[in-house]
Amino acid sequence: MFRGTFEPYVSPFDPCPPIKVKTFVLPPQLFMNVQPPGLPQYSPAEALRQGSLWPALVDGFSKKEGIF
């Protein structure tokens, strides 16, 4: 998982408080073009909790982080 940040342009005429630094996440699926054979898997119950059957594709996004 790749996390990054950038500093957007802040207009002096914007009536809203500026967000000085924005963050983004690139999901791991972008870097794995072919699923390798024998990739470890979660149990069905754990896969439902994690949102993916394969641990390598869990990006770690949580509701605590907020929406990017």
Side-chain angles (χ1 to χ4, degrees), residues 18-67:
I19 298 174
K20 302 280 186 176
V21 177
K22 292 193 177 194
T23 60
F24 62 92
V25 176
L26 294 176
Q29 295 89 324
L30 293 176
F31 304 103
M32 185 184 300
N33 54 2
V34 177
Q35 180 180 327
L39 202 59
Q41 296 182 355
Y42 286 126
S43 68
E46 184 64 20
L48 286 173
R49 281 192 288 277
Q50 294 292 335
S52 176
L53 183 59
W54 298 280
L57 296 179
V58 174
D59 66 357
F61 179 80
S62 71
K63 291 182 181 179
K64 289 185 244 174
E65 293 181 60
I67 298 175

